[in-house]
Coordinates of all heavy atoms in Angstrom, one line a residue:
M1 N 96.7 87.0 91.0 CA 96.3 88.2 91.7 C 97.4 88.3 92.8 O 97.8 87.4 93.5 CB 94.9 88.0 92.3 CG 94.6 89.2 93.2 SD 92.9 89.5 93.7 CE 92.2 87.9 94.1
S2 N 97.7 89.5 93.1 CA 98.7 89.8 94.1 C 98.1 89.7 95.5 O 97.0 90.0 95.7 CB 99.2 91.3 93.9 OG 100.0 91.7 94.9
T3 N 99.0 89.2 96.4 CA 98.5 89.0 97.8 C 98.3 90.4 98.4 O 97.6 90.5 99.4 CB 99.5 88.2 98.6 OG1 100.8 88.7 98.5 CG2 99.5 86.7 98.1
L4 N 99.0 91.4 97.9 CA 98.8 92.7 98.5 C 97.3 93.2 98.4 O 96.8 93.7 99.3 CB 99.7 93.8 97.7 CG 99.5 95.2 98.1 CD1 100.0 95.4 99.6 CD2 100.3 96.1 97.2
F5 N 96.7 92.9 97.2 CA 95.3 93.3 97.0 C 94.3 92.3 97.6 O 93.2 92.6 97.9 CB 95.0 93.6 95.6 CG 95.9 94.6 95.0 CD1 96.8 94.3 94.0 CD2 95.9 95.9 95.5 CE1 97.7 95.3 93.5 CE2 96.7 96.9 95.0 CZ 97.6 96.6 94.0
A6 N 94.7 91.0 97.7 CA 93.8 90.0 98.1 C 93.7 90.0 99.7 O 92.8 89.5 100.2 CB 94.4 88.6 97.7
N7 N 94.7 90.7 100.3 CA 94.7 90.7 101.8 C 93.9 91.9 102.3 O 94.5 93.0 102.4 CB 96.1 90.7 102.3 CG 96.2 90.5 103.8 OD1 95.2 90.5 104.5 ND2 97.4 90.3 104.3
S8 N 92.6 91.7 102.6 CA 91.8 92.8 103.0 C 92.2 93.4 104.4 O 91.9 94.5 104.7 CB 90.3 92.5 103.0 OG 90.1 91.4 103.9
V9 N 92.9 92.5 105.2 CA 93.4 93.0 106.5 C 94.4 94.1 106.3 O 94.4 95.1 107.0 CB 94.0 91.8 107.3 CG1 94.6 92.3 108.6 CG2 92.9 90.8 107.6
F10 N 95.3 93.9 105.3 CA 96.3 95.0 105.0 C 95.6 96.3 104.6 O 95.9 97.3 105.1 CB 97.2 94.5 103.9 CG 98.1 95.6 103.4 CD1 99.2 95.9 104.2 CD2 97.9 96.2 102.2 CE1 100.1 96.9 103.8 CE2 98.8 97.2 101.8 CZ 99.9 97.6 102.6
V11 N 94.6 96.2 103.7 CA 93.9 97.4 103.2 C 93.2 98.1 104.4 O 93.3 99.3 104.5 CB 92.8 97.0 102.1 CG1 92.0 98.2 101.8 CG2 93.5 96.4 100.9
E12 N 92.5 97.3 105.3 CA 91.9 98.0 106.4 C 92.9 98.6 107.4 O 92.6 99.6 107.9 CB 91.0 96.9 107.1 CG 89.8 96.5 106.3 CD 88.9 97.7 105.9 OE1 88.7 98.6 106.7 OE2 88.5 97.7 104.7
R13 N 94.0 98.0 107.5 CA 95.0 98.5 108.4 C 95.6 99.8 107.9 O 95.7 100.8 108.6 CB 96.2 97.5 108.6 CG 97.2 98.0 109.7 CD 98.2 96.9 109.9 NE 99.0 96.6 108.7 CZ 99.3 95.4 108.3 NH1 98.9 94.4 109.0 NH2 99.9 95.3 107.2
V14 N 95.8 99.9 106.6 CA 96.2 101.2 106.0 C 95.2 102.2 106.1 O 95.5 103.4 106.4 CB 96.6 101.0 104.5 CG1 96.8 102.3 103.8 CG2 97.9 100.1 104.4
R15 N 93.9 101.9 105.8 CA 92.8 102.8 105.9 C 92.7 103.3 107.4 O 92.4 104.5 107.6 CB 91.5 102.2 105.4 CG 91.5 102.1 104.0 CD 90.1 101.6 103.5 NE 90.2 101.5 102.1 CZ 89.3 100.8 101.4 NH1 88.4 100.1 102.0 NH2 89.4 100.7 100.1
R16 N 92.8 102.4 108.3 CA 92.6 102.8 109.7 C 93.7 103.7 110.2 O 93.5 104.7 110.9 CB 92.6 101.5 110.6 CG 92.1 101.8 112.0 CD 92.0 100.5 112.8 NE 92.9 99.4 112.4 CZ 92.5 98.2 111.9 NH1 91.3 97.9 111.8 NH2 93.4 97.3 111.5
N17 N 95.0 103.5 109.7 CA 96.1 104.3 110.0 C 96.0 105.7 109.3 O 96.7 106.6 109.7 CB 97.4 103.6 109.7 CG 97.7 102.5 110.6 OD1 97.1 102.4 111.7 ND2 98.5 101.5 110.2
A18 N 95.3 105.7 108.2 CA 95.2 107.0 107.4 C 94.4 108.0 108.1 O 94.6 109.2 107.9 CB 94.7 106.7 106.1
T19 N 93.5 107.6 109.0 CA 92.7 108.6 109.7 C 93.1 108.6 111.2 O 93.2 107.5 111.8 CB 91.2 108.3 109.6 OG1 91.0 107.0 110.1 CG2 90.8 108.4 108.1
T20 N 93.3 109.7 111.8 CA 93.5 109.8 113.2 C 92.6 110.8 113.8 O 92.2 111.8 113.1 CB 95.0 110.2 113.5 OG1 95.3 111.4 112.8 CG2 96.0 109.1 113.0
V21 N 92.2 110.6 115.0 CA 91.3 111.5 115.7 C 92.0 112.9 116.0 O 93.1 112.9 116.5 CB 90.8 110.9 117.0 CG1 89.8 111.8 117.7 CG2 90.1 109.6 116.7
D22 N 91.3 113.9 115.6 CA 91.7 115.3 115.9 C 93.1 115.7 115.2 O 93.8 116.5 115.7 CB 91.9 115.5 117.4 CG 90.5 115.4 118.1 OD1 89.5 115.7 117.5 OD2 90.5 115.1 119.3
H23 N 93.4 115.0 114.1 CA 94.6 115.3 113.4 C 94.3 115.4 111.9 O 93.4 114.8 111.4 CB 95.7 114.3 113.6 CG 96.2 114.2 115.0 ND1 97.0 115.2 115.5 CD2 96.1 113.2 115.9 CE1 97.3 114.8 116.8 NE2 96.8 113.6 117.0
Q24 N 95.0 116.3 111.2 CA 94.8 116.4 109.8 C 95.4 115.2 109.1 O 96.4 114.6 109.5 CB 95.5 117.6 109.3 CG 95.3 117.9 107.8 CD 96.0 119.2 107.4 OE1 96.7 119.8 108.2 NE2 95.8 119.6 106.2
R25 N 94.6 114.7 108.1 CA 95.1 113.5 107.4 C 96.3 113.8 106.6 O 96.4 114.8 105.9 CB 94.0 112.9 106.5 CG 92.8 112.4 107.4 CD 91.7 111.9 106.5 NE 92.1 110.7 105.9 CZ 91.3 110.0 105.1 NH1 90.1 110.4 104.8 NH2 91.8 108.9 104.5
N26 N 97.3 112.9 106.6 CA 98.5 113.0 105.8 C 98.1 112.9 104.3 O 97.4 111.9 103.9 CB 99.5 112.0 106.2 CG 100.8 112.1 105.5 OD1 100.9 112.5 104.4 ND2 101.9 111.7 106.2
S27 N 98.5 113.8 103.5 CA 98.1 113.7 102.0 C 98.6 112.4 101.4 O 97.9 111.9 100.5 CB 98.6 114.9 101.3 OG 100.0 115.0 101.4
W28 N 99.8 111.9 101.7 CA 100.3 110.6 101.2 C 99.4 109.5 101.6 O 99.1 108.6 100.8 CB 101.7 110.4 101.6 CG 102.7 111.2 100.8 CD1 103.3 112.3 101.3 CD2 103.0 111.1 99.4 NE1 104.1 112.9 100.3 CE2 103.9 112.1 99.2 CE3 102.7 110.2 98.4 CZ2 104.5 112.3 97.9 CZ3 103.3 110.4 97.2 CH2 104.2 111.4 96.9
L29 N 98.9 109.5 102.8 CA 98.1 108.4 103.3 C 96.7 108.5 102.6 O 96.1 107.5 102.3 CB 97.9 108.4 104.8 CG 99.2 108.1 105.6 CD1 98.9 108.3 107.1 CD2 99.7 106.7 105.2
V30 N 96.2 109.7 102.3 CA 95.0 109.9 101.6 C 95.1 109.3 100.2 O 94.2 108.6 99.7 CB 94.5 111.3 101.6 CG1 93.3 111.6 100.7 CG2 94.2 111.8 103.0
L31 N 96.2 109.6 99.6 CA 96.5 109.2 98.2 C 96.5 107.7 98.2 O 95.9 107.0 97.3 CB 97.8 109.8 97.7 CG 98.2 109.4 96.3 CD1 97.1 109.9 95.3 CD2 99.5 109.9 95.9
I32 N 97.3 107.1 99.1 CA 97.4 105.6 99.2 C 96.0 105.0 99.4 O 95.6 104.0 98.8 CB 98.4 105.2 100.2 CG1 99.8 105.5 99.8 CG2 98.3 103.7 100.5 CD1 100.8 105.4 100.9
D33 N 95.2 105.6 100.3 CA 93.9 105.1 100.6 C 93.0 105.1 99.4 O 92.3 104.1 99.1 CB 93.3 106.0 101.7 CG 91.9 105.5 102.2 OD1 91.8 104.3 102.4 OD2 91.0 106.3 102.3
R34 N 93.0 106.2 98.6 CA 92.2 106.3 97.4 C 92.7 105.3 96.4 O 91.9 104.6 95.7 CB 92.3 107.7 96.9 CG 91.5 108.6 97.7 CD 91.5 110.0 97.1 NE 90.8 110.9 98.0 CZ 90.9 112.2 97.9 NH1 91.6 112.8 96.9 NH2 90.2 113.0 98.7
W35 N 94.0 105.1 96.2 CA 94.5 104.2 95.3 C 94.2 102.7 95.6 O 93.8 102.0 94.8 CB 96.1 104.3 95.2 CG 96.7 103.4 94.3 CD1 96.7 103.4 92.9 CD2 97.4 102.2 94.6 NE1 97.4 102.4 92.4 CE2 97.8 101.6 93.4 CE3 97.7 101.6 95.8 CZ2 98.6 100.4 93.4 CZ3 98.5 100.4 95.8 CH2 98.9 99.8 94.6
L36 N 94.3 102.4 96.9 CA 93.9 101.0 97.4 C 92.4 100.8 97.2 O 92.0 99.7 96.7 CB 94.2 100.8 98.8 CG 95.7 100.6 99.1 CD1 96.0 100.6 100.6 CD2 96.2 99.4 98.4
A37 N 91.6 101.8 97.4 CA 90.1 101.6 97.2 C 89.8 101.4 95.8 O 89.0 100.6 95.4 CB 89.4 102.8 97.8
S38 N 90.4 102.2 94.9 CA 90.2 102.1 93.5 C 90.7 100.8 92.9 O 90.0 100.1 92.1 CB 90.9 103.2 92.7 OG 90.4 104.5 93.1
S39 N 91.8 100.3 93.4 CA 92.3 99.0 93.0 C 91.4 97.9 93.5 O 91.2 96.9 92.7 CB 93.7 98.8 93.6 OG 94.2 97.6 93.3
E40 N 90.9 98.0 94.7 CA 90.0 97.0 95.2 C 88.7 96.9 94.4 O 88.3 95.8 94.0 CB 89.7 97.3 96.7 CG 88.9 96.2 97.3 CD 88.6 96.5 98.8 OE1 89.4 97.3 99.4 OE2 87.7 95.9 99.4
R41 N 88.2 98.1 94.0 CA 87.0 98.1 93.2 C 87.2 97.5 91.8 O 86.4 96.8 91.3 CB 86.4 99.5 93.0 CG 85.7 100.0 94.3 CD 85.0 101.3 94.0 NE 85.8 102.4 93.5 CZ 86.4 103.3 94.4 NH1 86.2 103.2 95.7 NH2 87.2 104.2 93.9
M42 N 88.4 97.8 91.2 CA 88.8 97.3 89.9 C 88.8 95.8 89.9 O 88.3 95.1 89.0 CB 90.1 97.9 89.5 CG 90.5 97.5 88.1 SD 92.0 98.3 87.6 CE 93.2 97.8 88.8
H43 N 89.4 95.2 91.0 CA 89.5 93.8 91.1 C 88.2 93.1 91.3 O 87.9 92.1 90.8 CB 90.5 93.4 92.2 CG 91.9 93.5 91.8 ND1 92.6 94.7 92.0 CD2 92.8 92.7 91.2 CE1 93.9 94.5 91.5 NE2 94.0 93.3 91.0
Q44 N 87.3 93.8 92.1 CA 86.0 93.2 92.4 C 85.2 93.2 91.1 O 84.5 92.2 90.8 CB 85.3 94.0 93.4 CG 85.8 93.8 94.8 CD 85.2 94.7 95.8 OE1 84.5 95.7 95.5 NE2 85.5 94.5 97.1
R45 N 85.3 94.3 90.3 CA 84.5 94.3 89.1 C 85.0 93.4 88.0 O 84.3 92.8 87.3 CB 84.5 95.8 88.6 CG 83.6 96.6 89.5 CD 83.6 98.0 89.2 NE 82.7 98.7 90.2 CZ 82.8 100.0 90.4 NH1 83.5 100.8 89.7 NH2 82.0 100.5 91.3
A46 N 86.3 93.1 88.0 CA 86.9 92.1 87.1 C 86.4 90.7 87.5 O 86.1 89.9 86.7 CB 88.4 92.2 87.1
G47 N 86.3 90.5 88.8 CA 85.8 89.2 89.3 C 84.3 89.0 89.0 O 83.9 87.9 88.6
L48 N 83.6 90.1 89.1 CA 82.2 90.0 88.7 C 82.0 89.7 87.2 O 81.1 88.9 86.8 CB 81.5 91.4 89.1 CG 80.0 91.4 89.0 CD1 79.3 90.4 89.8 CD2 79.5 92.8 89.4
R49 N 82.8 90.3 86.4 CA 82.8 90.1 85.0 C 83.2 88.6 84.7 O 82.6 88.0 83.8 CB 83.8 91.0 84.2 CG 83.7 90.9 82.7 CD 84.6 91.9 82.0 NE 84.0 93.3 82.2 CZ 84.6 94.2 82.9 NH1 85.8 94.0 83.6 NH2 84.1 95.4 83.1
A50 N 84.1 88.1 85.4 CA 84.5 86.7 85.2 C 83.4 85.7 85.6 O 83.4 84.6 84.9 CB 85.8 86.4 86.1
I51 N 82.5 86.0 86.5 CA 81.5 85.0 86.9 C 80.2 85.3 86.2 O 79.2 84.7 86.4 CB 81.3 85.0 88.4 CG1 80.7 86.3 88.9 CG2 82.5 84.6 89.1 CD1 80.1 86.2 90.3
A52 N 80.2 86.3 85.3 CA 78.9 86.7 84.6 C 78.3 85.5 83.8 O 77.1 85.5 83.5 CB 79.1 87.9 83.7
D53 N 79.1 84.6 83.4 CA 78.6 83.4 82.6 C 78.2 82.2 83.4 O 77.9 81.2 82.9 CB 79.6 83.1 81.5 CG 79.8 84.1 80.4 OD1 78.7 84.8 80.1 OD2 80.9 84.3 79.9
D54 N 78.4 82.3 84.7 CA 78.0 81.2 85.6 C 76.7 81.5 86.3 O 76.6 82.2 87.3 CB 79.1 81.0 86.6 CG 79.0 79.7 87.4 OD1 77.8 79.2 87.5 OD2 80.0 79.3 88.0
P55 N 75.6 80.9 85.8 CA 74.3 81.2 86.4 C 74.1 80.8 87.9 O 73.4 81.4 88.6 CB 73.3 80.4 85.5 CG 74.1 79.4 84.8 CD 75.5 79.9 84.8
H56 N 74.9 79.8 88.3 CA 74.8 79.4 89.7 C 75.4 80.4 90.7 O 74.8 80.7 91.7 CB 75.5 78.0 89.9 CG 74.8 76.9 89.2 ND1 73.6 76.4 89.5 CD2 75.2 76.2 88.1 CE1 73.2 75.5 88.6 NE2 74.2 75.3 87.7
L57 N 76.5 81.0 90.3 CA 77.2 82.0 91.1 C 76.3 83.3 91.1 O 76.2 84.0 92.1 CB 78.6 82.3 90.7 CG 79.6 81.1 90.9 CD1 80.9 81.5 90.3 CD2 79.7 80.8 92.4
L58 N 75.8 83.6 89.9 CA 75.0 84.8 89.9 C 73.7 84.7 90.7 O 73.3 85.6 91.3 CB 74.6 85.1 88.4 CG 75.8 85.6 87.5 CD1 75.3 85.7 86.1 CD2 76.3 86.9 88.1
A59 N 73.1 83.4 90.7 CA 72.0 83.2 91.5 C 72.3 83.4 93.0 O 71.5 83.9 93.8 CB 71.4 81.8 91.2
D60 N 73.5 82.9 93.4 CA 73.9 83.1 94.8 C 74.0 84.6 95.2 O 73.7 85.0 96.3 CB 75.3 82.5 95.0 CG 75.2 80.9 95.1 OD1 74.1 80.4 95.2 OD2 76.3 80.3 95.0
L61 N 74.4 85.4 94.2 CA 74.5 86.8 94.5 C 73.2 87.6 94.3 O 73.0 88.7 94.6 CB 75.5 87.5 93.5 CG 77.0 87.0 93.7 CD1 77.8 87.6 92.6 CD2 77.5 87.5 95.1
G62 N 72.2 86.9 93.6 CA 70.9 87.5 93.4 C 71.0 88.5 92.2 O 70.2 89.5 92.2
L63 N 71.8 88.2 91.3 CA 72.0 89.1 90.1 C 71.7 88.4 88.8 O 71.9 87.2 88.7 CB 73.4 89.6 90.0 CG 73.9 90.5 91.1 CD1 75.4 90.8 90.9 CD2 73.2 91.8 91.2
T64 N 71.2 89.1 87.8 CA 71.1 88.6 86.5 C 72.4 88.8 85.8 O 73.3 89.6 86.2 CB 70.0 89.2 85.7 OG1 70.3 90.6 85.5 CG2 68.6 89.1 86.4
R65 N 72.6 88.2 84.6 CA 73.9 88.4 83.9 C 74.0 89.8 83.4 O 75.1 90.4 83.5 CB 73.9 87.4 82.6 CG 75.1 87.5 81.8 CD 75.1 86.6 80.6 NE 76.4 86.5 80.0 CZ 76.8 87.4 79.1 NH1 76.1 88.3 78.7 NH2 78.0 87.2 78.6
E66 N 72.9 90.4 83.0 CA 72.9 91.8 82.6 C 73.3 92.8 83.7 O 74.0 93.7 83.5 CB 71.5 92.2 82.0 CG 71.2 91.5 80.7 CD 70.8 90.0 80.8 OE1 70.3 89.7 81.9 OE2 71.0 89.2 79.9
E67 N 72.7 92.5 84.9 CA 73.0 93.3 86.1 C 74.5 93.2 86.4 O 75.2 94.2 86.8 CB 72.2 93.0 87.3 CG 70.7 93.3 87.1 CD 69.9 92.7 88.2 OE1 70.2 91.7 88.8 OE2 68.8 93.3 88.5
A68 N 75.0 92.0 86.4 CA 76.4 91.8 86.7 C 77.4 92.5 85.7 O 78.3 93.2 86.1 CB 76.7 90.3 86.7
L69 N 77.0 92.4 84.4 CA 77.9 93.1 83.4 C 77.7 94.6 83.5 O 78.7 95.3 83.3 CB 77.5 92.6 82.0 CG 77.9 91.1 81.7 CD1 77.4 90.7 80.4 CD2 79.4 90.9 81.8
E70 N 76.5 95.1 83.9 CA 76.4 96.5 84.0 C 77.2 97.0 85.2 O 77.9 98.1 85.1 CB 74.9 96.8 84.3 CG 74.5 98.2 84.4 CD 73.1 98.5 84.7 OE1 72.2 97.8 84.0 OE2 72.7 99.3 85.6
Q71 N 77.2 96.3 86.3 CA 78.1 96.7 87.4 C 79.5 96.6 87.1 O 80.3 97.4 87.5 CB 77.7 95.8 88.7 CG 76.6 96.3 89.4 CD 76.8 97.7 90.0 OE1 77.8 98.0 90.6 NE2 75.8 98.5 89.9
A72 N 79.9 95.5 86.3 CA 81.3 95.3 86.0 C 81.8 96.4 85.0 O 83.0 96.7 85.0 CB 81.5 94.0 85.3
D73 N 80.9 97.1 84.3 CA 81.3 98.1 83.3 C 81.4 99.5 84.0 O 81.9 100.4 83.3 CB 80.4 98.1 82.2 CG 80.5 96.9 81.3 OD1 81.6 96.3 81.3 OD2 79.6 96.6 80.5
V74 N 81.1 99.6 85.2 CA 81.2 100.9 85.9 C 82.7 101.2 86.1 O 83.4 100.3 86.5 CB 80.5 100.9 87.3 CG1 80.7 102.2 88.0 CG2 79.0 100.7 87.1
P75 N 83.1 102.4 85.7 CA 84.6 102.7 85.9 C 85.0 102.6 87.4 O 84.2 102.8 88.3 CB 84.7 104.2 85.5 CG 83.5 104.4 84.7 CD 82.4 103.5 85.2
F76 N 86.2 102.1 87.6 CA 86.7 101.8 88.9 C 86.8 103.1 89.8 O 86.8 103.0 91.0 CB 88.1 101.1 88.9 CG 89.2 102.0 88.4 CD1 89.9 102.8 89.3 CD2 89.5 102.0 87.0 CE1 91.0 103.6 88.8 CE2 90.6 102.8 86.6 CZ 91.3 103.6 87.5
W77 N 86.8 104.3 89.2 CA 86.9 105.5 90.1 C 85.6 105.9 90.6 O 85.5 106.9 91.4 CB 87.6 106.6 89.3 CG 86.9 107.0 88.0 CD1 85.9 107.8 87.9 CD2 87.2 106.5 86.7 NE1 85.5 107.9 86.6 CE2 86.3 107.1 85.8 CE3 88.2 105.6 86.2 CZ2 86.3 106.9 84.5 CZ3 88.2 105.4 84.9 CH2 87.3 106.0 84.0
R78 N 84.5 105.2 90.3 CA 83.2 105.6 90.8 C 82.8 104.7 92.0 O 83.1 103.6 92.1 CB 82.1 105.5 89.8 CG 82.3 106.6 88.8 CD 81.0 106.7 88.0 NE 81.3 107.4 86.7 CZ 80.5 107.3 85.7 NH1 79.5 106.5 85.7 NH2 80.8 108.0 84.6

C-alpha cells in the first residue's frame, strides 16, 4: 500500500486546505478531495474484504462475515 494513502494526516491536510472560509472552493482542490475520499473508501473496503475470514477481527468490529462482505461490495463512489 502506498504511504500517500496510508497517511491520513496528509489526506486531512489536503481536505482542510480545500475549504476556506468565505471563499469559493478551487475546482482542482474539490476534484483532488473527491479522488482522495474515493481512494480511501476503496482501500478501507478492500481491507474489510481481507479480514472477512477472520472471526476474531470481525468480532472486534462487531460485524458478521456477511455484513463485512456486504459493506465491502458497496462501490467506492458511494
Side-chain angles (χ1 to χ4, degrees):
M1 177 166 40
S2 172
T3 54
L4 175 66
F5 301 116
N7 188 351
S8 62
V9 174
F10 173 76
V11 173
E12 290 304 318
R13 188 175 59 227
V14 169
R15 286 186 182 158
R16 192 174 30 241
N17 289 340
T19 59
T20 55
V21 178
D22 297 330
H23 293 293
Q24 185 176 2
R25 294 178 71 178
N26 185 329
S27 61
W28 285 104
L29 293 177
V30 171
L31 181 65
I32 290 170
D33 183 45
R34 288 180 183 168
W35 179 75
L36 286 172
S38 296
S39 178
E40 186 176 344
R41 282 192 300 270
M42 184 175 60
H43 282 92
Q44 288 174 352
R45 290 177 181 161
L48 189 57
R49 186 175 290 111
I51 68 166
D53 292 326
D54 190 340
H56 298 290
L57 292 175
L58 290 175
D60 287 344
L61 294 174
L63 295 174
T64 65
R65 183 177 190 277
E66 292 76 25
E67 291 171 335
L69 290 175
E70 183 180 317
Q71 277 297 317
D73 289 337
V74 174
F76 68 89
W77 57 85
R78 289 193 200 160

